[in-house]
Amino acid sequence: MKSRRMVGAGIAALTTATLLLTGCSGGGGDSDDAAATTGTLDFYTDKAAWEPDFDELNETSKEAVDITLNTTGYSDAAQYDAFIKQSFRTQKSPGLFTWHTGDSLKQLVDEGLVAETTDLWTKAIDEGWATEDLRSEYTFDDKQYCVPMNIAYWVMYYNKNIFEEQGIEEPTTWDELDAAATKLKAAGITPYYQTSTLFTFQWFQQLVAGTDPELYKGLSTGDVKYTDPEIVDIMNIWLDEQEKGWFSDAGSTVDPAVGLKQGDFAMINFGSFFNGSLDGAGMVSGEDYDMFVIPAVNADLGTTPVAVESGPICVAENSKQKDLGMAYSEWWMSPDAQTAWNAARGDVAFNPKATVNDPMLSELGTTVADDSHTLFTRYFEATPTPILTVALEQFGAFNANPGDPMPFLEAIQAEADKYWADQE
């Protein structure tokens, strides 16, 4: 197995970019690679920590379709995005790369930068490997682009030992969740994790969608303003919780999985892919940690909203490894591939026919599929990119220095006004 490369900053990233853009990377090859459907496939991802998991699949994919990944993982998301976008201006675009759904993917599709995958999706739907709801996340003008790397539901993870020591049961209502946070804080335990970088949006999306899903949807279409009274009221709920000391130090550099393990906080709102990080930190699923669907803020909603995300794997349209990338993408959607990925990463499978080893994740998939839950698109994908960029910064600033929410909301709305005006 090849050595792990954690490319995130400085000389390492510059060297990698230079190699790819000058055609000297591992599998970039010459023009003969254009028709290749077996061999070594250059794969770039912004999930550097997952690189060993992708490597673990090489033995399975080698046997199944005679393709192995040559993976380069970036740990700096902004640097990764810039590198991928730069590569499109050359003839050396990566054969396979991870991206984002929503507006970020739409931009690449509109510019003709990613390969169409309609045939792969048609096969997947016919075989029962994917759902129509999932296909809609990858559909633009009735055509599909990219395939799902994964699917994740945003839930609340918790330290089981802390809950048991404090006599706290899994909350099933928002009032019960507030009561749990109050009890934890009284015992000197910080209830929730937060950060000031990247993953700054979770609690906002949970509060808004859990109060009124239509209000949440309106933010993504411009029909609702961030400065509307309903949003301000919701932000004040968040501020009140901040002032109660319910959230961890937003500037902490401790890995969140390690933080949950050592009791820096009792709960963390994260995607269901977090199981892999917790397992890697030495916690045991069902013994040291567990999860629950976060109750709706508004008890009168009837169903509980659950945030869902799906991160894509894409093939660059002008890549010399396009055929190889498409062949791997087709295999990736199969039950065998998704079963192997689940075993390697410990993730919820988007393919209903894949085997999910972790009973906790298997149960979660069943739970969110019942009639008492409603799925909504994660804020990161639901929000147009220019607005998202500002919002993440403002939520991060709010986490770092909580205060009157209006200046933060006004900054986001100013960017939203510019964006929606340009769409007219």
Side-chain angles (χ1 to χ4, degrees):
M1 183 176 294
K2 70 178 184 64
S3 62
R4 313 289 195 239
R5 288 172 292 159
M6 304 291 283
V7 183
I11 295 175
L14 179 60
T15 300
T16 301
T18 301
L19 286 172
L20 180 63
L21 297 180
T22 58
C24 298
S25 60
D30 54 31
S31 59
D32 289 340
D33 287 337
T37 55
T38 61
T40 301
L41 174 63
D42 287 336
F43 173 49
Y44 288 78
T45 177
D46 58 348
K47 296 169 175 57
W50 296 16
E51 189 174 334
D53 302 321
F54 287 114
D55 286 346
E56 191 173 325
L57 263 66
N58 278 341
E59 184 176 344
T60 303
S61 62
K62 172 68 175 176
E63 181 178 347
V65 288
D66 196 18
I67 302 175
T68 57
L69 297 180
N70 178 35
T71 304
T72 298
Y74 275 68
S75 56
D76 185 301
Q79 188 178 66
Y80 173 80
D81 286 5
F83 165 66
I84 292 296
K85 290 176 180 177
Q86 181 186 7
S87 78
F88 291 132
R89 294 195 290 269
T90 76
Q91 294 300 310
K92 304 298 179 182
S93 298
L96 198 68
F97 65 97
T98 57
W99 201 242
H100 329 283
T101 51
D103 189 58
S104 293
L105 180 55
K106 183 179 184 299
Q107 291 178 27
L108 300 190
V109 171
D110 288 346
E111 295 179 39
L113 298 174
V114 290
E116 183 184 342
T117 55
T118 302
D119 289 346
L120 303 189
W121 277 97
T122 299
K123 176 181 178 180
I125 296 297
D126 289 345
E127 296 285 350
W129 293 355
T131 65
E132 288 288 357
D133 286 343
L134 184 57
R135 175 157 65 172
S136 66
E137 296 287 324
Y138 294 79
T139 301
F140 302 88
D141 293 329
D142 297 323
K143 298 178 181 178
Q144 285 76 56
Y145 298 85
C146 308
V147 298
M149 179 189 67
N150 70 335
I151 191 169
Y153 306 107
W154 283 68
V155 296
M156 190 72 82
Y157 285 88
Y158 65 94
N159 183 309
K160 287 198 69 173
N161 293 328
I162 291 177
F163 266 46
E164 289 172 1
E165 289 169 0
Q166 298 301 317
I168 298 174
E169 300 290 333
E170 290 187 1
T172 58
T173 67
W174 189 259
D175 286 344
E176 289 177 0
L177 182 60
D178 278 352
T182 300
K183 187 171 186 178
L184 288 165
K185 185 60 182 177
I189 302 167
T190 300
Y192 302 121
Y193 165 83
Q194 70 173 352
T195 180
S196 60
T197 58
L198 188 58
F199 290 114
T200 62
F201 60 88
Q202 300 99 303
W203 208 236
F204 178 78
Q205 82 175 3
Q206 196 64 45
L207 288 171
V208 178
T211 299
D212 183 351
E214 290 303 312
L215 189 70
Y216 176 84
K217 183 178 179 180
L219 289 175
S220 69
T221 61
D223 294 326
V224 173
K225 293 182 179 293
Y226 285 84
T227 51
D228 282 351
E230 297 88 347
I231 301 297
V232 176
D233 288 345
I234 289 170
M235 283 294 292
N236 278 315
I237 294 174
W238 193 2
L239 176 60
D240 179 61
E241 294 173 340
Q242 292 275 13
E243 292 177 338
K244 289 177 179 177
W246 283 7
F247 294 91
S248 66
D249 176 10
S252 174
T253 58
V254 175
D255 181 277
V258 174
L260 186 68
K261 178 181 180 180
Q262 60 193 26
D264 294 349
F265 42 85
M267 293 178 278
I268 177 170
N269 176 201
F270 229 76
S272 50
F273 53 80
F274 196 53
N275 277 48
S277 298
L278 293 171
D279 295 342
M283 299 187 79
V284 178
S285 172
E287 295 181 16
D288 300 319
Y289 72 90
D290 211 325
M291 65 170 72
F292 59 87
V293 173
I294 303 172
V297 180
N298 180 0
D300 295 329
L301 286 183
T303 60
T304 302
V306 181
V308 61
E309 66 163 303
S310 177
I313 291 180
C314 302
V315 177
E317 176 64 28
N318 70 342
S319 173
K320 289 189 176 182
Q321 290 195 317
K322 177 181 175 180
D323 291 337
L324 189 58
M326 294 292 282
Y328 191 90
S329 297
E330 181 176 4
W331 173 76
W332 178 264
M333 297 189 80
S334 71
D336 289 345
Q338 285 307 297
T339 294
W341 173 244
N342 176 265
R345 177 64 197 164
D347 213 343
V348 175
F350 68 79
N351 187 323
K353 296 188 177 182
T355 300
V356 178
N357 291 334
D358 189 327
M360 181 188 299
L361 293 176
S362 180
E363 181 181 355
L364 174 63
T366 301
T367 298
V368 299
D370 67 31
D371 293 338
S372 64
H373 297 85
T374 302
L375 300 181
F376 67 92
T377 303
R378 186 177 71 148
Y379 182 82
F380 201 97
E381 288 75 34
T383 306
T385 301
I387 303 173
L388 174 68
T389 300
V390 174
L392 295 179
E393 294 172 350
Q394 293 301 314
F395 293 147
F398 177 79
N399 286 344
N401 294 289
D404 179 5
M406 280 304 294
F408 304 101
L409 294 174
E410 287 172 347
I412 302 172
Q413 187 56 45
E415 186 62 35
D417 288 340
K418 293 179 186 176
Y419 177 83
W420 295 117
D422 288 343
Q423 306 308 304
E424 295 178 355

